[in-house]
């Protein structure tokens, strides 16, 4: 099936089976390997991407369903030279260890800012992280990173106010 997807602001023409999952097309057809496959059952959140600004688990969405939407992957947030404030906050707060869950956690943080603005509390972040698993960190620094990332986004005028 021929489809056109808008990913990180660029149009991509892809020929993939009608039943291809978005995560498969991103990784296998487009080489956007920052979106990780962790469980294939929508349990871990490692495959989170933003669809029109909302976090979606790419292992549960057909690529064809994403036609016409704006898809943002971790690669679309920043660059190695200029990290997005949420990415920088994960780095500074040590919100990662092995890094496998990190892209999905960053995207979950972006969703929290979209939904709640920048005045995130640790309690709210902890609640909102349901459905995102980390096997290494114990979540304390992930929560700190998301709160700090939201504050940094606010100071740069990159986020709505709640």
């Amino acid at each position: 099936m021929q489809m056109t997807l808008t990913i990180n602001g660029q149009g991509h023409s892809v020929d993939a089976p009608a039943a291809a999952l978005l995560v498969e097309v991103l990784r296998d057809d487009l080489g956007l390997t920052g979106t990780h496959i962790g469980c294939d059952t929508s349990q871990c959140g490692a495959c989170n991407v933003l669809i029109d600004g909302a976090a979606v688990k790419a292992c549960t969405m057909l690529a064809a369903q994403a036609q016409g939407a704006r898809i943002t992957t971790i690669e679309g947030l920043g660059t190695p030279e200029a990290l997005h404030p949420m990415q920088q906050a994960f780095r500074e707060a040590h919100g990662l260890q092995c890094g496998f869950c990190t892209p999905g956690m960053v995207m979950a943080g972006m969703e929290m800012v979209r939904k709640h603005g920048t005045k995130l509390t640790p309690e709210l972040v902890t609640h909102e992280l349901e459905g995102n698993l980390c096997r290494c960190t114990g979540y304390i620094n992930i929560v700190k990173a998301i709160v700090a990332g939201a504050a940094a986004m606010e100071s740069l005028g990159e986020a709505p106010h709640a």
Side-chain angles (χ1 to χ4, degrees):
M1 171 182 187
Q2 192 67 34
M3 61 186 92
T4 302
L5 301 173
T6 302
I7 304 166
N8 302 329
Q10 295 184 328
H12 296 271
S13 181
V14 178
D15 187 22
L21 296 172
L22 180 57
V23 70
E24 296 168 338
V25 169
L26 291 172
R27 291 181 59 81
D28 301 339
D29 297 326
L30 299 173
L32 296 170
T33 57
T35 303
H36 293 164
I37 300 171
C39 67
D40 282 331
T41 59
S42 186
Q43 301 294 312
C44 74
C47 66
N48 278 338
V49 297
L50 301 178
I51 305 289
D52 293 331
V56 172
K57 292 177 180 176
C59 75
T60 64
M61 182 177 204
L62 297 175
Q65 292 175 294
Q67 290 191 97
R70 291 176 296 110
I71 304 164
T72 305
T73 68
I74 194 74
E75 292 92 346
L77 289 187
T79 66
E81 300 80 27
L83 296 176
H84 183 278
M86 188 65 73
Q87 292 170 310
Q88 185 64 31
F90 267 76
R91 180 179 181 183
E92 291 174 1
H94 306 288
L96 56 96
Q97 281 185 359
C98 81
F100 190 82
C101 72
T102 305
M105 292 289 188
V106 169
M107 300 313 258
M110 296 294 292
E111 164 75 347
M112 288 177 219
V113 171
R114 182 189 72 81
K115 281 175 44 180
H116 302 290
T118 57
K119 303 298 184 197
L120 298 177
T121 64
E123 295 78 21
L124 178 60
V125 172
T126 299
H127 174 75
E128 290 287 325
L129 279 176
E130 182 179 339
N132 292 275
L133 300 177
C134 176
R135 292 173 176 93
C136 300
T137 67
Y139 299 95
I140 294 168
N141 289 342
I142 291 171
V143 171
K144 288 179 186 176
I146 292 172
V147 170
M153 289 172 68
E154 179 180 49
S155 72
L156 295 172
E158 291 189 23
H161 302 282

